[in-house]
Amino acid sequence: MRTANSASSCSAVRSSRTIAAETCGALAASMARALATHPLGRPAHARQRHGGPLGLPWTVATGTSGASSFGHDCGDREQGRGSEDYEHDHASSIIVRGISQKRRSRGMPGHRGTDQIPYAPGLPGYTRRVSEPNGQLRAARERLPSRRVPGGPMSRAELAETVNAWLWDTAGQRFDLDARAVARWERGVVRWPGAHYRSALRHVLGAATDTELGLRPASRAVMTPSPPTGPPATPSPPPWAIAATLTRSSLDAAALDHLEQAAYGYAKRYPQTAPAELWPAVSALITHVNGALTQPMPLSLRQRASALMGLLTGLAGSLWTDFNKPVDAARYFDVAELAAREADTPDLTSWVLATRSITSFYAGDYGAAHAFLVRAEQQAAIQPSRRRQAWIAALSARTAAALGDFDCAHRALDAAHRHVDRVSEPGTGTDFFDAARLNGLAGSTYLAMRDTTRAAPVLREALARRAAHDSKGRALLGLDLATCHVHDGETEEASRVAITALDWARDAMVEPIIVRARELRRDLVRLSGPAGLQNLDACLREVVRA
């Protein structure tokens, strides 16, 4: 009886399997007929003639070709099943496999960016998705020095620890990123980490955008023309990183040459570059030099490295001022002054102090600006440079005028002109001050004394002589000229000049320019009311929104 029941059960199971097979077979046959009439179901030579846009062959954009992953491929062939049954089973597998993959890709975070088009041996052009390594992310990590292995690159574990620390400092939350997760990113298994991790990676690795790190959001696999062959898109390391790799020591003279060249290049780009674009590169170089300073080196090289750190952190102070982060800016300026003292370079100290005075001036703290400039003048006298002394004197003149000490302002302007007239050496590095820049500060000084008769022509001349790429400086000069028109009662011309000035700095907008423009608008409202300021208001809203 038990044998009969077992036989009956087996027969029922076989019957149900037969019904399921026939159902899948019918569905597969229907699918095969549909594919035969679709361009993708044609033979390779026919589909090649049909082609895609512009006559290019169609391929799947998200992978490379691979062998079949269906478990019964070889077994079915070895059992001598017919080709028709074989193709039907494959078509059925495609349907089931596609549904299961879609469910997995929706429900599992680890599958982000790994949506697949099922592999079908009978459909040329279809491929299996294979994770493409993220070489850009790995290269960015290996450009940074290891804190634990002298001369070696930052490890995945060190990157994870640094990211966790940065997120704790900035977000106040604990994260448990580890080396295994970083390895998955670098292998390309996960191409689009969470927003908090991407933000931390950009900061730690010195990247302006996610694209620079090879990070991109997951997208559905689509049929696209085959891309042209060419070199890989991974950018090469900057020269200073290559030099550090070649020496594989703490620092030597050749590596320092490259580092200094890069740092002065960033300082040169500052007048025309948006802070969000420049800061990642400056931050990466600060990280590298800081790591090098933890290692033993000859005294002469340590002084050069300390001076380099002073330049970079002074530039960082200016950038964080542009970000409207005065507390962070002050900390960087403090470190810059310390580094300059460690390097025993009074000229660098005077540059740091004079640069810091500018941030205080635009914040309206004229007393602090004056104090910084007094100290800067003392340091500049120890290691004299006519350009540096002229710059400090011109800044002192503008600050004195803002404080209402017009006699002191005139004396400082006269001193600045005398220093500029005696300049004989070409400008290098941060020692850049010249007659054109002196004209700009002189115009601002006359404006602070309410002497628009002298200020306006000097400012126009300064604008005519200022380099076109110095967008930030030209914008501030233009706003000063607009203020001259306000004092003269020319509101329409003031508004027009202000809009032009804001347009100059549209791609390199910084907080001091926005503050200055708002002060100008308040002056215009006090003079003639808000009527007629629609265009200026619209421009300001666009600038602030950007």
Side-chain angles (χ1 to χ4, degrees):
M1 183 62 121
R2 185 176 301 172
T3 304
N5 288 339
S6 299
S8 176
S9 299
C10 291
S11 176
V13 170
R14 282 195 298 270
S15 298
S16 63
R17 289 180 176 175
T18 302
I19 293 172
E22 289 175 353
T23 302
C24 288
L27 185 57
S30 176
M31 181 179 177
R33 286 193 297 272
L35 290 173
T37 61
H38 192 276
L40 291 177
R42 300 175 183 177
H45 63 276
R47 195 176 68 259
Q48 180 73 18
R49 288 196 301 270
H50 183 273
L54 305 180
L56 295 173
W58 287 102
T59 59
V60 175
T62 58
T64 57
S65 60
S68 170
S69 62
F70 293 98
H72 56 264
D73 285 5
C74 297
D76 289 345
R77 292 183 185 272
E78 288 172 357
Q79 294 172 11
R81 298 177 63 186
S83 61
E84 184 177 358
D85 293 336
Y86 177 76
E87 294 299 329
H88 286 180
D89 277 4
H90 270 297
S92 305
S93 300
I94 291 171
I95 297 168
V96 177
R97 190 174 171 83
I99 294 172
S100 63
Q101 283 175 342
K102 184 177 294 185
R103 288 175 178 169
R104 286 201 305 273
S105 65
R106 288 177 181 172
M108 297 178 62
H111 284 270
R112 275 182 287 182
T114 59
D115 295 342
Q116 301 177 3
I117 290 180
Y119 174 69
L123 299 180
Y126 274 78
T127 59
R128 290 181 63 193
R129 173 63 182 260
V130 177
S131 297
E132 179 183 356
N134 188 343
Q136 292 171 261
L137 180 59
R138 179 171 181 172
R141 170 178 63 82
E142 293 182 343
R143 282 198 292 269
L144 297 182
S146 171
R147 299 189 303 272
R148 298 169 182 166
V149 182
M154 173 182 280
S155 67
R156 290 169 176 164
E158 288 175 311
L159 176 58
E161 292 169 2
T162 307
V163 166
N164 289 333
W166 186 85
L167 287 170
W168 171 253
D169 292 339
T170 57
Q173 299 181 23
R174 294 193 180 278
F175 291 84
D176 297 321
L177 183 67
D178 56 20
R180 290 178 298 176
V182 175
R184 286 170 59 82
W185 296 345
E186 292 184 353
R187 290 199 306 269
V189 176
V190 176
R191 278 284 185 173
W192 192 243
H196 49 285
Y197 284 137
R198 298 197 309 274
S199 179
L201 286 172
R202 290 194 303 271
H203 176 83
V204 173
L205 299 178
T209 63
D210 294 325
T211 306
E212 292 181 17
L213 298 177
L215 304 176
R216 59 175 180 268
S219 59
R220 293 290 177 183
V222 294
M223 306 301 288
T224 59
S226 300
T229 58
T234 303
S236 63
W240 59 264
I242 297 173
T245 301
L246 290 173
T247 57
R248 280 299 180 192
S249 60
S250 55
L251 269 185
D252 67 358
L256 265 175
D257 288 341
H258 285 280
L259 292 170
E260 289 168 346
Q261 184 178 2
Y264 284 122
Y266 297 150
K268 187 176 181 180
R269 287 172 53 195
Y270 173 77
Q272 71 266 19
T273 307
E277 179 182 344
L278 191 57
W279 167 245
V282 174
S283 175
L285 202 54
I286 288 175
T287 301
H288 183 81
V289 175
N290 185 63
L293 283 168
T294 62
Q295 306 298 322
M297 65 182 74
L299 179 60
S300 60
L301 293 183
R302 176 165 292 277
Q303 286 182 323
R304 285 182 62 186
S306 298
L308 178 58
M309 182 61 84
L311 169 62
L312 289 168
T313 49
L315 184 56
S318 295
L319 290 170
W320 283 95
T321 299
D322 294 343
F323 285 130
N324 195 25
K325 300 289 185 181
V327 175
D328 295 293
R331 290 169 179 167
Y332 273 111
F333 280 127
D334 287 340
V335 173
E337 189 176 349
L338 173 63
R341 288 202 304 268
E342 287 293 316
D344 193 22
T345 52
D347 180 67
L348 177 61
T349 306
S350 67
W351 173 79
V352 171
L353 292 168
T355 302
R356 189 170 188 176
S357 78
I358 297 174
T359 67
S360 298
F361 180 87
Y362 281 111
D365 192 351
Y366 304 130
H370 174 71
F372 286 129
L373 287 168
V374 169
R375 294 174 58 202
E377 185 177 6
Q378 293 170 350
Q379 292 294 316
I382 299 174
Q383 196 173 1
S385 162
R386 293 295 183 184
R387 292 180 185 274
R388 185 80 74 217
Q389 290 174 312
W391 181 45
I392 294 171
L395 291 173
S396 300
R398 184 179 63 176
T399 303
L403 289 170
D405 191 346
F406 295 170
D407 290 338
C408 180
H410 282 296
R411 289 196 299 271
L413 268 185
D414 290 342
H417 282 289
R418 287 197 301 271
H419 286 307
V420 164
D421 290 341
R422 296 174 184 174
V423 167
S424 57
E425 71 280 1
T428 57
T430 61
D431 202 9
F432 53 80
F433 198 68
D434 55 19
R437 286 181 169 81
L438 176 55
N439 275 350
L441 284 172
S444 299
T445 301
Y446 293 137
L447 176 61
M449 292 189 287
R450 296 293 194 273
D451 187 355
T452 58
T453 303
R454 301 178 69 178
V458 173
L459 287 169
R460 291 192 186 94
E461 182 182 357
L463 279 169
R465 300 178 63 182
R466 200 64 167 259
H469 60 76
D470 189 355
S471 52
K472 298 176 187 176
R474 287 176 60 82
L476 290 169
L477 290 175
L479 291 172
D480 280 350
L481 182 58
T483 304
C484 288
H485 290 296
V486 172
H487 293 329
D488 293 340
E490 302 168 349
T491 56
E492 291 185 3
E493 183 65 10
S495 180
R496 186 193 67 79
V497 173
I499 292 172
T500 301
L502 290 173
D503 283 339
W504 286 335
R506 186 171 297 275
D507 295 330
M509 189 58 61
V510 293
E511 186 66 19
I513 296 176
I514 296 174
V515 171
R516 188 73 184 84
R518 286 172 171 165
E519 292 174 352
L520 173 67
R521 185 190 181 281
R522 286 195 293 269
D523 292 341
L524 283 169
V525 171
R526 282 195 297 266
L527 182 64
S528 59
L533 297 180
Q534 293 88 347
N535 292 337
L536 178 58
D537 287 344
C539 185
L540 268 173
R541 282 195 299 270
E542 183 180 350
V543 164
V544 171
R545 189 183 306 115

